[in-house]
Amino acid sequence: MRLTVVGCSGSFAGPESPASSYLVQTEQDGRTWSVLLDLGSGALGPLQRHLDLADLDAVLLSHLHPDHCADVLGLYVTRRYRPGGPLPRRMPLYGPTGTAERLALMYHGLEPGGMESEFDIRVVRDAAAVTVGPFTVTPYAVAHPVEAYGYRVEADGEVLAFTGDTDACDNLSPLLAGADLALLDCAFVDGRDATRGVHLTGSRAAAAAVAAGGVRRLVLTHIPAWNDPRTCRDQAAAGWPGTVELATAGWVTAVGGAPADPGTPDPVAARRMWDAYRAATPGLPPEDDVEIGGFGDSPEMADRLLAYVLGGTKRATAGLVAEYAAEGDALPRVGDHWVVCDGAGTPRVVLRATELRVGPLASVDERFAWDEGEGDRTLATWLEDHRGFFRRSCARIGTEFSDDLEVCFERFRVVWPPEHADL
């Protein structure tokens, strides 16, 4: 299974992320199955970067607060008023008691038939599993001021557990037990939020995962914009024996994978590629400590960004100066080389730096965003994606994120192997 965090901001859409929405996908019978856990305020827009909305197989709503369901209204519009006419089938939409009535009240002037003309709205029950293609999804009633559910999603022998909004409760144990990846609400902060029965804190999230047993990855989500994610992570880390991960908008990860980190490069194969390039390129200056590694902070990101390079659009990259320093690495220089590996650690291309500039994140311009070659190549998308990525980097090295952080902006050429090299 693959998880894409479409939005993870708690209680309301934040400046760096829409509200809650998580896309879960897997392959079966030659096609991709896609289910969505929540569709909160602001999430419908970025969801369209990840799939054609017509290909969505089902939506499951944890509860009926706007930060978890408001953008269902927009999804209805995309299905009802498509230029080519409405879609031929109703899409299953699961939610608590009263889902159909609440959604209809949210849409002023709804036509006869209501949203049920486009959605097959089904009410979930505690511990009563439902099936969507290859997915088995089991709802568990959780502790929130309104009827609310967490969802346990199983496919491919893997388990993703999503708490929705909850405080500590007995049902978290069967929901989380043995999960390969657990997405836990962390809207509250120890020492600040004394109200119970609404949200978890980092420490209570970690305690729930430990008590359930067998949880492999702990990922905190639903963190409001007024929280410091590092505080939430630190409070969870005090009670969690492994790495505490933070959900960020646009993050893609394999549910059964290890905590986000690119695959370990194969140094022997990388050196072999480097030696072949040097042998075919006389006159290169000595460069014994050539960089070896992948793009991004996960195998999936390494593969995705490498695909942009191989496709010819990506000819630039950016990294935090603070991260170079934290890892004891010197900043690149014009003429330096980099053996780039895919998500499995296999070397694929050699790059050579052609231009470097250090400046604050906010100094990026439209031309550099275009040269990075990712997504729609706009400055707005570049800023959204990189703020999310650099927030994860800051959390990892213990630095506070801001747009004033210095970034090394680098342009490069592909120089090896010949079939991918720039002319």
Side-chain angles (χ1 to χ4, degrees), residues 14-40:
E16 308 296 340
S17 173
S20 292
S21 189
Y22 308 90
L23 177 64
V24 187
Q25 297 175 294
T26 194
E27 313 299 321
Q28 188 184 72
D29 299 330
R31 77 143 168 128
T32 300
W33 288 82
S34 303
V35 299
L36 197 65
L37 307 177
D38 284 348
L39 188 53

Side-chain angles (χ1 to χ4, degrees), residues 270-341:
R271 178 58 61 175
R272 189 181 304 120
M273 174 174 279
W274 173 243
D275 289 343
Y277 166 63
R278 288 194 64 89
T281 315
L284 287 177
E287 193 175 351
D288 296 330
D289 296 325
V290 65
E291 178 73 16
I292 299 172
F295 288 106
D297 59 2
S298 71
E300 293 77 20
M301 183 177 285
D303 286 337
R304 176 164 53 86
L305 299 187
L306 176 63
Y308 287 127
V309 172
L310 298 179
T313 62
K314 183 175 177 63
R315 289 299 182 267
T317 189
L320 285 180
V321 172
E323 190 168 14
Y324 283 101
E327 295 177 355
D329 296 330
L331 291 178
R333 298 171 299 176
V334 171
D336 281 356
H337 290 84
W338 180 15
V339 180
V340 177
C341 301

Side-chain angles (χ1 to χ4, degrees), residues 180-202:
D180 293 282
L181 189 153
L183 277 169
L184 284 92
D185 169 23
C186 190
F188 278 4
V189 174
D190 290 313
R192 185 193 72 188
D193 302 300
T195 304
R196 295 303 302 262
V198 183
H199 293 294
L200 292 166
T201 64

